Amino acid sequence: MNRDEIAGFVEASSGAPRLMGLDLGTKTIGLALSDIGRQIASPLETIRRVKFTPDAGRLAELCDQHRVGGLVIGLPLNMDGSEGPRVQSTRSFVRNLKPILPLPVFFQDERLSSAVVNRMLIEADASRARRGELVDKLAAAYILQAFLDIMREAITLDAEDAASA
């Protein structure tokens, strides 16, 4: 991941304190929200997808309500890192979303996020129905937290580089 890309996203998203994480599925959109210090990701809700316009409207409403400055969207890369049809679908969703919700977007690798979350819920002895309710928004929190950790590391490295210069 490129530190310049992260820095550009952080700067572009600085107009509002929070970031929102999205786990885009074909039937649902899992949402997570950062705290105002951009340190911790928390699950927010799961949108049951109907059609693009109402889905985008709900996203815009939540972004406004929670003062969101940028979106971190899970990018479903193949295990070998290549891009398949799901990545194309995600990028298409973002292109269509831009006119409705003109926030900066950062694509975060989401490989294995749902598998990790499912395993965690199974270990917590959550029922199959309960796992179904939680997995999407927890996967969004997992994706957002991964970005927040990488962002914090990149900012620390930039500060160290500046101090040693």
Side-chain angles (χ1 to χ4, degrees):
M1 194 162 308
N2 186 326
R3 284 177 20 194
D4 292 337
E5 288 178 47
I6 295 169
F9 174 77
V10 169
E11 185 177 323
S13 66
S14 65
R18 297 179 192 268
L19 297 176
M20 182 177 282
L22 281 76
D23 179 35
L24 289 174
T26 55
K27 296 179 182 176
T28 61
I29 303 172
L31 303 175
L33 198 60
S34 76
D35 64 318
I36 59 172
R38 296 184 176 187
Q39 301 290 311
I40 299 169
S42 300
L44 181 62
E45 76 174 60
T46 300
I47 297 173
R48 295 267 169 232
R49 293 184 78 171
V50 227
K51 292 190 176 192
F52 177 79
T53 302
D55 297 347
R58 180 66 180 145
L59 275 173
E61 177 184 304
L62 288 168
C63 286
D64 186 50
Q65 176 185 344
H66 293 287
R67 298 177 35 219
V68 171
L71 304 174
V72 177
I73 300 179
L75 196 62
L77 298 169
N78 294 324
M79 289 308 291
D80 65 0
S82 64
E83 295 188 5
R86 289 190 58 225
V87 170
Q88 293 170 354
S89 176
T90 298
R91 291 188 191 280
S92 176
F93 180 89
V94 170
R95 271 192 309 277
N96 293 332
L97 186 63
K98 277 287 186 193
I100 298 164
L101 190 58
L103 292 174
V105 170
F106 191 91
F107 290 106
Q108 174 66 35
D109 183 353
E110 72 161 38
R111 283 178 281 185
L112 298 177
S113 61
S114 293
V116 168
V117 168
N118 266 314
R119 191 172 316 119
M120 177 188 74
L121 289 170
I122 288 168
E123 288 174 8
D125 205 26
S127 69
R128 183 178 299 251
R130 185 72 176 137
R131 288 194 310 264
E133 292 171 20
L134 296 174
V135 72
D136 297 312
K137 63 185 174 182
L138 287 174
Y142 183 89
I143 291 162
L144 180 56
Q145 189 63 56
F147 173 78
L148 294 173
D149 294 345
I150 290 166
M151 179 187 72
R152 192 169 36 257
E153 183 179 322
I155 290 169
T156 301
L157 290 172
D158 287 345
E160 289 172 0
D161 288 351
S164 66

